[in-house]
Amino acid sequence: MTTDPAGPDGRTRAAEERKERPGGKAVVVVLLALALLVGGGWFAAYHFASDRLPHGTRVAGVDVGDRTPAQAARTLRAGLADRMAEPVTVLGGGTAVKVNPAAAGLSLDAAATVASGATGRSWDPRTLWDHYTDGSDLQPVVDVDAAKLAATARRIDQRAGRVAVDGAVSFAAARVKVTDPVMGRGVDEDELAAALRSAYLSTGDRRVEVGLHDVPPAIDDAAVEKAVDDFANPAMSAPVTLVFGRSPVRIAPRQYAGALTLVPKGDRLVPVLDRAKLRTVIAQGLSSDRSAPVDATVRLVGGKPRVIPAKPGVSYDLDDVADVFLKVVTWKDGHRWTKVRSTVAEPDFTTAEARALRIRRKVSEFTTHFPYAEYRNVNIGRAAELIDGTVLKPGDTFSLNGIVGERTAANGFTTGWTIQNGIFRQDYGGGVSQLATTTFNAMFFAGLEDVEHKPHSLYIDRYPIGREATVAWPSVDLRFRNDTPYGVLVHATVTPSTPSSQGSVTVSMWSTKHWDITTRTGPRYAFTAYKTQTITDGNCEDTSGADGFSIDVWRYFHRPGSSAVVKTEKFHTTYIPQDHVICRTG
């Protein structure tokens, strides 16, 4: 059996340990409490610091410490708003230019600025101590928009320096025009950006100075010379021919010059083709409706007959044509043509056939006059407009009704006096017979074949006696045939009447002279007496009576320059009496 050894005072060791044990527990408790207290504060300090900027953190004089990043960014923007909006004066070459920072592309990136001051999470007590005691000044993060800065630099160059001028090559009609490059004087954009950054958020003098430097043009003399030699001069050297099927379209430089431009691309001038303008140029040689051909014809241009070429109907891909054109336009003369992939519809009447008509000179002309009436101006003018430009090939028959159509308001006609059963009555197209008579006489003296004509039932003294014609839709027509070996172009013009002057209508025939025509008019005979009528329907005009009669007219055909008569034609006309008409209403 073992016993505790006795101590100096006779107590055992075990007894002493039993006496000290309660005090030791108290110390441990205290130490644990202190540890928990310090640890909690440390944890709280860590947790608070991990979400906020260090105490005393400043940006351009604005305190953003002890705030979350979002709070700090808002505080920063509000604190610097006035400075960000205040202009900066830039001195360049002694000239002061005010610059709006925002317009120059400067902006504060508040979020990035705040992020640069964040310390992050750390249990290191030294880091936590610095967070609460050692805030620092942060450099603001300033972004610069390159495009806006460049625009501001150009504005400063315009005011304080000289903007560089690029060389250029352009086309005026068929001539090449060169614009020489000019060296500029201006600010360096990097230097300008640094200067603006330095003054952007400052509270002091917002004036900065930048130097002016030589600014070479992007398109220099060498680029201009290359563009002229390689493209411009060859392009304007000769016409280009594009072949659509069997139809060549020849385009002169003066026609396509407006579709060509040389534009800067880096340090070069490159050719650009305006496709819409090229289409317009090509259309001059093709049908305006690219799927439908247009026949050749003959028109009076400047008072002379001119063959208007036929235009094939063409369907094509404009991009294909443009690509081919840009190549062929620089080829040497004699080789400046190429076939174009296309679908072609050829015209029925070709340019060669139009030339073969030999419409070269005026072969007859006749003029009649008419008294003032607005309906005559309208109706005669409209009918003349419709027949003007009619081309008769050999063997073709002219029909006035067929060309002019029904006389209606929709067709451009108005009401006027017409002769119906010997009585003057209102109807659409009154006055058109004036044009019929004039056209008949132009046909008469051109030596064309009379197919159908009907003189007025009453003699009208402003018309050639026995050589006149009336028309009525659709039963009475004026028709004649081109029985010559040449084409005939009909030309009609009208001079309107006025209250103080007569009007006139002239019809001419253009062709190659085939006949000389002479004429003779016989005496009046077989007279018939007029009667008196009273009409009460209100649609008539008082007229004086005149006897009816018959008359004959002869047409003699001679070969051009010869007096010998080759053939003779007789026209017999009987005019009915013009009754004395008394109009009554009711």
Side-chain angles (χ1 to χ4, degrees):
M1 178 177 182
T2 302
T3 60
D4 291 335
D9 56 0
R11 291 179 292 181
T12 65
R13 182 179 298 170
E16 289 178 353
E17 287 177 357
R18 285 193 296 268
K19 185 176 181 180
E20 293 172 357
R21 193 169 289 162
K25 287 181 179 179
V27 170
V28 170
V29 170
V30 170
L31 290 173
L32 288 172
L34 287 172
L36 288 171
L37 182 62
V38 172
W42 192 3
F43 178 79
Y46 165 81
H47 180 73
F48 186 82
S50 66
D51 189 32
R52 299 175 185 267
L53 269 68
H55 177 77
T57 301
R58 302 173 69 82
V59 179
V62 177
D63 187 354
V64 293
D66 300 323
R67 293 172 174 81
T68 65
Q71 293 170 340
R74 287 195 295 272
T75 300
L76 185 59
R77 282 191 289 266
L80 296 178
D82 290 344
R83 278 183 261 175
M84 288 190 292
E86 187 178 349
V88 175
T89 300
V90 177
L91 297 174
T95 300
V97 181
K98 279 193 174 183
V99 173
N100 181 300
L106 272 67
S107 61
L108 172 67
D109 189 338
T113 301
V114 169
S116 70
T119 57
R121 293 177 180 269
S122 175
W123 290 103
D124 190 331
R126 291 170 297 178
T127 301
L128 291 174
W129 177 264
D130 289 342
H131 179 87
Y132 289 103
T133 63
D134 190 24
S136 60
D137 286 334
L138 302 180
Q139 290 298 316
V141 177
V142 178
D143 292 333
V144 179
D145 183 286
K148 291 182 178 179
L149 181 71
T152 299
R154 287 194 296 271
R155 186 165 69 88
I156 294 172
D157 293 348
Q158 290 169 349
R159 294 277 305 279
R162 181 178 64 247
V163 177
V165 177
D166 282 346
V169 179
S170 59
F171 304 98
R175 293 173 47 244
V176 177
K177 181 180 179 182
V178 173
T179 300
D180 292 328
V182 178
M183 182 71 74
R185 289 281 291 171
V187 298
D188 179 83
E189 289 183 20
D190 291 338
E191 183 181 341
L192 176 62
L196 291 174
R197 275 195 174 102
S198 69
Y200 180 41
L201 301 175
S202 68
T203 56
D205 185 9
R206 295 174 68 83
R207 294 165 65 89
V208 296
E209 188 168 353
V210 292
L212 295 180
H213 311 276
D214 285 341
V215 180
I219 307 299
D220 58 15
D221 287 313
V224 169
E225 184 177 355
K226 182 173 177 58
V228 169
D229 292 343
D230 292 354
F231 185 82
N233 281 343
M236 295 296 106
S237 64
V240 167
T241 299
L242 302 176
V243 182
F244 296 85
R246 293 185 292 108
S247 299
V249 176
R250 188 174 185 269
I251 311 172
R254 60 179 176 77
Q255 294 175 285
Y256 61 70
L260 292 175
T261 52
L262 284 161
V263 300
K265 185 177 182 180
D267 59 356
R268 299 180 300 125
L269 288 171
V270 297
V272 173
L273 181 65
D274 187 320
R275 282 163 163 72
K277 289 184 179 179
L278 178 64
R279 184 195 297 277
T280 301
V281 171
I282 293 173
Q284 296 173 11
L286 300 174
S287 167
S288 57
D289 177 355
R290 293 189 300 149
S291 62
V294 174
D295 288 344
T297 190
V298 181
R299 294 184 192 141
L300 289 182
V301 178
K304 295 181 179 180
R306 176 182 296 177
V307 172
I308 307 302
K311 296 181 180 181
V314 178
S315 296
Y316 60 88
D317 187 317
L318 185 59
D319 289 337
D320 289 346
V321 177
D323 292 342
V324 168
F325 182 83
L326 278 179
K327 293 177 182 177
V328 74
V329 80
T330 60
W331 294 352
K332 293 181 180 180
D333 193 12
H335 302 276
R336 296 166 65 84
W337 69 274
T338 186
K339 290 186 176 181
V340 177
R341 186 168 57 188
S342 59
T343 302
V344 180
E346 299 293 345
D348 292 330
F349 193 66
T350 67
T351 303
E353 289 171 325
R355 291 195 178 100
L357 294 177
R358 297 177 65 183
I359 299 175
R360 296 175 178 173
R361 54 169 288 189
K362 186 188 299 182
V363 296
S364 71
E365 181 176 86
F366 202 80
T367 299
T368 62
H369 299 84
F370 54 90
Y372 171 71
E374 192 54 36
Y375 78 85
R376 290 192 178 100
N377 290 337
V378 171
N379 292 338
I380 298 172
R382 175 59 177 156
E385 176 187 17
L386 291 170
I387 73 164
D388 182 45
T390 299
V391 174
L392 302 175
K393 305 180 185 72
D396 283 355
T397 296
F398 176 97
S399 167
L400 191 142
N401 278 346
I403 297 171
V404 172
E406 186 175 2
R407 272 66 94 185
T408 63
N411 195 19
F413 292 91
T414 188
T415 57
W417 291 110
T418 63
I419 301 175
Q420 299 178 15
N421 298 320
I423 306 299
F424 285 89
R425 296 184 181 275
Q426 289 278 344
D427 200 356
Y428 276 98
V432 173
S433 291
Q434 180 95 30
L435 177 70
T437 289
T438 312
T439 305
F440 174 82
N441 277 272
M443 175 280 299
F444 184 96
F445 287 104
L448 305 181
E449 179 186 355
D450 176 37
V451 175
E452 175 187 351
H453 88 279
K454 181 182 183 301
H456 287 82
S457 57
L458 304 174
Y459 172 58
I460 301 172
D461 61 7
R462 66 175 181 270
Y463 297 151
I465 191 168
R467 276 199 342 259
E468 43 93 7
T470 187
V471 288
W473 177 268
S475 56
V476 180
D477 198 4
L478 168 65
R479 295 193 302 142
F480 54 88
R481 192 171 73 90
N482 175 18
D483 58 344
T484 76
Y486 312 111
V488 175
L489 169 64
V490 180
H491 180 50
T493 60
V494 173
T495 300
S497 60
T498 69
S500 60
S501 64
Q502 287 188 324
S504 65
V505 54
T506 299
V507 177
S508 56
M509 303 283 173
W510 297 72
S511 184
T512 289
K513 193 74 168 175
H514 188 61
W515 297 111
D516 281 341
I517 300 296
T518 58
T519 185
R520 179 174 69 86
T521 302
R524 303 181 188 189
Y525 63 95
F527 292 92
T528 53
Y530 68 86
K531 299 177 182 178
T532 299
Q533 294 189 57
T534 300
I535 297 175
T536 60
D537 63 7
N539 184 13
C540 68
E541 183 177 44
D542 290 339
T543 55
S544 299
D547 292 339
F549 58 91
S550 294
I551 198 164
D552 298 317
V553 173
W554 288 266
R555 177 165 66 159
Y556 303 106
F557 293 78
H558 313 259
R559 294 299 179 191
S562 171
S563 61
V565 176
V566 176
K567 63 178 179 177
T568 301
E569 189 174 20
K570 178 181 177 181
F571 295 85
H572 172 75
T573 303
T574 296
Y575 295 106
I576 67 173
Q578 178 176 307
D579 287 349
H580 183 79
V581 176
I582 302 171
C583 294
R584 296 284 185 268
T585 302

